Amino acid sequence: MEGSLFEIRHADPLPQRWLYPLLAALVVLYLVIGIQFALKTPLWQVPDEPAHVNYALHIARTGTLPILRPGDYDAAYLEAIKAAKFPPDMSVASIRYEFHQPPAYYLLGGALLRALVPDVQTPNPPPYVLERAVHTLRLLSLVLSVGILLFAFATARVLFPQLPSVALAVVACIAFIPQHVAMMTGANNDALAELMLALFLWLLTLHTYTPPAADGSRWLGRGVILGLILLTKTTIYAPALLALVAFHVLRAWPGKGQNARWRAEGKAFLLEVLVALFLASPFFLHNVRAYGWPDVLGWQRHAQVVAGQMTPGEYIAQNGKTAYAHRAVTWTFRSFWGQFGWMGVLMDARIYKGLMYLTALLFVGIGIFLAHGCRPRFERVLLRRKSTAVECLIEEQHNALGVLSAAAVGTWIAYVGYNLSYLQHQGRYLFTGLVPLAIISLPGIWILLEPKRAAKAMWVTALLGWGALLLALGDVGPVDRWDALSLFGMAFWFGFAKRFPRLRPLWLLLPFLSLALLDVWALYAYIIPMLTR
């Protein structure tokens, strides 16, 4: 596939023959780290893990979907068992508040448990059987999460076929975030949910390169994947649906014959939704029978069962709006990068300081990419003026980026919506936006590592580092020497990129490969020591 002007301008020196061996090396490294997380993280010390495991156990034992009932969430008992670090004499059997979740992961898990751990079908299996069951489900999640990396890679390759380094960096960025590793190796439905969304985004990206007239029956494949999404997890509904809407709107928007295009895209969207609803209808009918109309998703029953959870209104009434805003920002940031167990294990504050600058780098990357790749479209469509900038991206790339952006917006809508009901500032709920974040930010960082720009960035970060050091020495504000150290580290990174431009693929990967080291440190320095009884 030929590259766009953007890819020609920002050429990649990485030989294509190295691409797949390097991808395999990243996946192997991820699996080595993931297996350690799955087997060494103390039992039940992933958020909501007992409730997810009990769902899979119910299916393994009965072959039927469970029903969420009053008493499945005992807040006092849950806090007590967490505080005691889940001792063997405190059973997790009564922790069942995830029984309303869509069933896809639990059907897979239940079938796997029946095949590999048949003793779980006994009424009161001994502790070692439960431990094997948990480890089996954790390893299932890990295997599923490899698919996320592969579909993210494939999406980046479709978008930027001449930038293989960007595709590899997308994989590394998603793979090695410590909190993401912890969640992808827990017994829960998060890995399958992210996998289905990554598959859907790859499919939509691929189909943006198909002319609408040649779309044929591709709507059926999109509808089937959307139906599987409905059967996997409700938190991916918003990003998937918004991405699908954006896909059809962007295909109908340009060119002549708009009315015919709108009708064709509207028809395809309707067919996709109908296929999806048909596939998900047995689960929805189960909920209506169990909880009554109109509780199709079981949310009303869930709200009744978990009544008593802290709400934003209650927190603000007790602590004020300023404290709420501070908690929302700090908890979301820390729990996105690494806040382990049931959100009770923090890493050293100095680590979060470095991660703050990595976060800033990702957002700078988004800004640079939008400025270099999307400025003409932005000026023409949104500002209604003729752009003086050269159009670097082709139409299909613009449309695919619009689809990914819509999915990212859907992730934020789901996160904010959940936090309007409950106090749940957990950055892990933003992981459904990781694929768009990586694919949109990393081309900008790739541009920033070009020799001339890297030289400018080196001087800027070095000057900021000296400023931070002076403020730290003067004990002015919240700045300390770790801010200076982080900025000096970035200056050296940019300096190496300037000095050794042919190694730019390595410099792009380096920040995210360093997260792999942090993964191992987090597991052995924080998770195991602080969560083991």
Side-chain angles (χ1 to χ4, degrees), residues 307-498:
Q309 278 194 10
M310 177 73 75
T311 65
E314 292 169 348
Y315 187 90
I316 291 171
Q318 295 175 17
N319 302 281
K321 293 182 179 179
T322 302
Y324 176 81
H326 181 267
R327 185 189 193 278
V329 173
T330 55
W331 274 63
T332 300
F333 172 75
R334 289 173 178 172
S335 59
F336 178 88
W337 289 105
Q339 188 168 334
F340 306 107
W342 292 63
M343 300 293 108
V345 176
L346 292 167
M347 295 185 289
D348 190 292
R350 294 169 292 185
I351 295 175
Y352 293 114
K353 186 79 71 171
L355 293 171
M356 179 183 71
Y357 287 99
L358 180 54
T359 304
L361 179 66
L362 289 170
F363 281 101
V364 167
I366 292 173
I368 291 174
F369 176 58
L370 294 179
H372 282 75
C374 303
R375 178 183 165 190
R377 172 68 67 93
F378 176 80
E379 292 181 349
R380 187 173 69 252
V381 175
L382 297 181
L383 301 183
R384 302 289 183 181
R385 72 187 187 198
K386 186 177 181 180
S387 176
T388 57
V390 178
E391 187 76 70
C392 292
L393 299 176
I394 61 176
E395 188 75 27
E396 290 82 2
Q397 286 174 312
H398 279 297
N399 290 350
L401 290 167
V403 169
L404 293 172
S405 299
V409 170
T411 292
W412 275 103
I413 289 174
Y415 183 71
V416 172
Y418 191 35
N419 275 280
L420 291 176
S421 300
Y422 301 105
L423 194 71
Q424 290 286 340
H425 297 132
Q426 298 185 32
R428 64 189 178 96
Y429 295 131
L430 298 175
F431 288 155
T432 54
L434 271 181
V435 172
L437 171 66
I439 290 177
I440 296 173
S441 64
L442 286 166
I445 300 175
W446 177 252
I447 294 171
L448 193 58
L449 291 174
E450 291 173 353
K452 290 183 178 179
R453 293 186 175 90
K456 294 177 182 178
M458 178 186 70
W459 287 111
V460 169
T461 49
L463 288 172
L464 289 173
W466 283 112
L469 184 60
L470 290 174
L471 291 173
L473 293 174
D475 198 20
V476 178
V479 178
D480 58 32
R481 66 181 184 275
W482 296 104
D483 291 277
L485 185 62
S486 298
L487 288 164
F488 286 140
M490 293 180 73
F492 276 107
W493 178 57
F494 286 123
F496 282 122
K498 171 186 174 294

Side-chain angles (χ1 to χ4, degrees), residues 28 42 44 78 96 104 111 147 158 184 252 267 274 310 334 357 363 404 412 437 455 497 516:
V28 169
W44 315 119
L78 186 60
R96 299 183 294 263
V158 172
M184 293 301 98
K267 178 183 177 182
L274 288 175
M310 177 73 75
R334 289 173 178 172
Y357 287 99
F363 281 101
L404 293 172
W412 275 103
L437 171 66

